[in-house]
Amino acid sequence: MKDLVRHKSLLSTEIESSLNQQIKKEAHSSSLYLAMASWCDRNGFDCSAQYFYDQSEEERKHQMKLFHYVLDMGGTAISPDINNIKIEYMSFREVFEDALEQEIAITQSFKNIAAKCHKEQDFVTLEFLNWFFKEQREEEFKARRALELFDLIGEAGTGRWEIDRHIAKIKYSEGEEA
Amino acid sequence: MNQLAEINQIEVFSTNFGSISHCPRTDLLTLKFSGKTVTYKYPCLQRLNKVINQVDLAKMTDASHSGLEIIFLCGAEDCFVLDIHEILGLKDLLHGTFTMFNLNSTIKDCLQRLI
Ligand SMILES: [Fe+2]
Ligand SMILES: [Fe+2]
């Protein structure tokens, strides 16, 4: 008999399902960042709002990168529904604490998928995931750096205004130039 | 289905409840179950498997439940109306079928691709 499983798709059911979960997580990230942008925009933190608008777009791109991979490999990409997105934050700092937490969760989730790929020797997907691991280096660095600004500059007086201005300048150079 | 195609059908898996066979010429899969004969493409059978596995069996035994489940697949013309015994039977049949598919894939790897 023909190998219908393999002819249909490169992805195993488990990996396909993990990738679909990741698609949902990236979509969730995108929505979260948009909510953060909204909060910053409403509270006068214009640079941070822009930073989160950009992050939201980035997460959408991550989602689509995974989406196309699943389809290109013969799987079924599932368009996720996202709900229960936070609207209010207690403080400016809390927004960035949540952002770092979100990026850490995403990194951990990718590590999980990679472990599954290793287990079933799906080196094709593993190689595809490498792009995301590199991306997570940058994402965690930026989120951590933003939080550092709160300690470095301090929130008193015009501190928060100053922090907001510096958020726009956060860049990750992988230690090449610097 | 003409006689020739019928002859060429390869049985993938069968139980007392029904059978699933594959046509090498068209790659279509024929499910014979609960007095019905339905033909699916592979992804459609995968969806059927998923839907069957998602049926809440405990809920079906509830007094307020009709005891029947309507299995409808988008992209397929037919639907199944099944009671709990039939759900279990179909679940069994599909589980065996996909086990055979995966086994076949592994055997192909070992005997043809990795030598
Ligand atoms: Fe992402
Ligand atoms: Fe991210």
Side-chain angles (χ1 to χ4, degrees):
Chain A
M1 196 178 98
K2 284 189 221 172
D3 184 355
L4 297 177
V5 181
R6 195 59 182 81
H7 285 192
K8 176 70 184 77
S9 176
L10 178 142
L11 305 167
S12 72
T13 318
E14 292 73 30
I15 298 294
E16 181 178 322
S17 142
S18 298
L19 290 173
N20 270 314
Q21 279 164 29
Q22 194 62 36
I23 286 170
K24 185 170 176 138
K25 285 178 185 173
E26 297 293 338
H28 182 243
S29 281
S30 181
S31 293
L32 268 184
Y33 282 133
L34 199 56
M36 292 171 181
S38 166
W39 189 91
C40 290
D41 206 323
R42 272 179 283 141
N43 288 278
F45 300 111
D46 290 343
C47 297
S48 300
Q50 191 54 53
Y51 173 83
F52 287 123
Y53 283 127
D54 293 345
Q55 283 297 117
S56 177
E57 293 279 337
E58 286 246 321
E59 300 305 342
R60 167 79 184 173
K61 283 183 197 151
H62 297 166
Q63 182 200 338
M64 292 314 290
K65 205 177 172 81
L66 289 155
F67 203 84
H68 286 298
Y69 176 75
V70 170
L71 289 170
D72 291 348
M73 295 307 109
T76 302
I78 297 167
S79 176
D81 61 330
I82 303 301
N83 41 39
N84 290 321
I85 298 293
K86 197 164 164 176
I87 297 169
E88 284 304 333
Y89 290 86
M90 299 292 285
S91 66
F92 188 33
R93 189 190 174 107
E94 192 197 62
V95 178
F96 287 94
E97 282 171 351
D98 275 21
L100 175 61
E101 193 48 59
Q102 179 62 16
E103 288 305 336
I104 291 172
I106 292 285
T107 308
Q108 295 309 98
S109 172
F110 272 118
K111 283 201 234 171
N112 248 325
I113 303 175
K116 280 182 196 161
C117 288
H118 253 292
K119 208 173 143 210
E120 55 176 86
Q121 304 197 326
D122 181 353
F123 300 116
V124 180
T125 303
L126 205 55
E127 193 273 336
F128 166 75
L129 291 179
N130 277 338
W131 184 90
F132 286 93
F133 283 120
K134 208 166 175 200
E135 182 70 15
Q136 283 313 112
R137 265 159 62 177
E138 177 173 343
E139 298 276 70
E140 281 204 24
F141 171 86
K142 280 159 67 181
R144 223 169 258 123
R145 182 76 189 131
L147 269 181
E148 267 171 18
L149 293 175
F150 284 81
D151 296 331
L152 281 172
I153 299 167
E155 291 185 64
T158 55
R160 281 194 282 272
W161 178 79
E162 193 73 36
I163 292 166
D164 183 53
R165 285 184 51 203
H166 275 85
I167 295 290
K169 295 179 203 155
I170 298 175
K171 265 195 191 74
Y172 181 58
S173 59
E174 287 185 30
E176 282 156 10
E177 303 110 295
Chain B
M1 195 180 290
N2 67 43
Q3 215 185 351
L4 196 71
E6 182 83 52
I7 291 165
N8 285 331
Q9 293 275 329
I10 299 167
E11 187 178 275
V12 183
F13 193 72
S14 71
T15 64
N16 290 338
F17 276 96
S19 70
I20 289 177
S21 52
H22 171 242
C23 170
R25 197 171 47 84
T26 59
D27 270 349
L28 291 173
L29 296 150
T30 303
L31 166 67
K32 288 184 184 167
F33 186 80
S34 128
K36 256 189 183 164
T37 301
V38 201
T39 304
Y40 292 118
K41 286 182 179 172
Y42 180 76
C44 213
L45 198 70
Q46 274 185 314
R47 281 213 303 282
L48 179 66
N49 189 31
K50 207 171 168 185
V51 169
I52 290 293
N53 281 315
Q54 279 167 351
V55 173
D56 188 342
L57 294 171
K59 208 170 152 192
M60 280 185 85
T61 60
D62 232 57
S64 59
H65 197 279
S66 67
L68 291 173
E69 199 69 45
I70 301 169
I71 306 295
F72 179 77
L73 285 184
C74 359
E77 293 162 9
D78 238 322
C79 72
F80 284 101
V81 181
L82 305 172
D83 65 28
I84 191 155
H85 295 286
E86 291 169 314
I87 295 271
L88 286 169
L90 187 53
K91 208 172 170 170
D92 222 30
L93 179 60
L94 289 166
H95 183 259
T97 301
F98 280 95
T99 303
M100 291 313 276
F101 284 148
N102 288 324
L103 182 63
N104 181 52
S105 189
T106 307
I107 290 171
K108 279 247 156 44
D109 265 352
C110 295
L111 296 184
Q112 296 173 15
R113 294 170 180 149
L114 300 176
I115 45 171

